[in-house]
Structures are given as structure tokens and as C-alpha cells.
Amino acid sequence: MATLLTADLIRAGRALLGWTQAELARKSGVTQKALSDFELKKKPLTAKASDRLRKVLEEHNIQFIAVNTESSEIVGSGVRWRPERNGMDIKIL
């Protein structure tokens, strides 16, 4: 089951990197129109596009923080820079 990114998570990841929609679109192979429509909540993002965006953001040290949920969508979550040292991950108690 693929985890679908939300518009807020994509915007937050772009903000950490200081990227425009055009930059993320170019690097991910997702059209800027599709990315813009998704971020504005005009149209849903496909699982394939979500995977492409996630891959590019994670390759640039963005980490998505999720909560435990039964859904495939990340809910109540956030983004951060990926920790450089092992053992620096957030642990849910």
C-alpha cells in the first residue's frame, strides 16, 4: 500500500528546500500544472505522481513524519530534515 502525500506536506517539503513548484515539477517529472492543481486542492494526485514527488524530496533529505493510522494517507504529520545520525529518529511511545 502506497502512502499518499498531502498538499500540505508537499508545500512544507518544498519550503524546507526553498524550491518553487517549477523546480520540484522538473526534478520529479510531474507537470507543474498537476502539482499546482494538487497543492490548491483542485484535483487529486495520482499514486504514481505522489511516489515521484516523495522520492525526489526524500533524496534531498526531507523526512515525512507520520502518526499511526489505518489510512494510507499521512494524517496529522509533518516534515523535517532527515537526521544525519542513527538513533535521531522520532520515536512514538
Side-chain angles (χ1 to χ4, degrees):
M1 179 183 309
T3 301
L4 299 176
L5 296 178
T6 65
D8 292 339
L9 290 173
I10 292 172
R11 276 193 305 274
R14 283 195 309 104
L16 278 175
L17 292 167
W19 288 359
T20 63
Q21 284 181 347
E23 288 173 295
L24 179 56
R26 182 175 38 81
K27 292 174 192 242
S28 67
V30 173
T31 67
Q32 183 176 353
K33 173 84 169 114
L35 181 55
S36 175
D37 285 349
F38 179 66
E39 285 190 3
L40 294 172
K41 300 179 182 176
K42 290 182 178 180
K43 293 184 181 177
L45 193 64
T46 66
K48 184 176 180 178
S50 180
D51 288 345
R52 286 180 175 183
L53 293 165
R54 172 187 283 280
K55 181 179 177 190
V56 168
L57 292 168
E58 287 179 342
E59 285 173 352
H60 288 85
N61 296 320
I62 298 299
Q63 182 178 42
F64 297 96
I65 305 166
V67 296
N68 294 336
T69 176
E70 298 295 320
S71 169
S72 65
E73 184 177 350
I74 299 177
V75 178
S77 56
V79 297
R80 68 176 184 176
W81 292 110
R82 182 176 40 238
E84 294 187 25
R85 297 187 332 216
N86 289 337
M88 293 294 292
D89 296 323
I90 291 177
K91 295 179 177 47
I92 299 172
L93 303 175

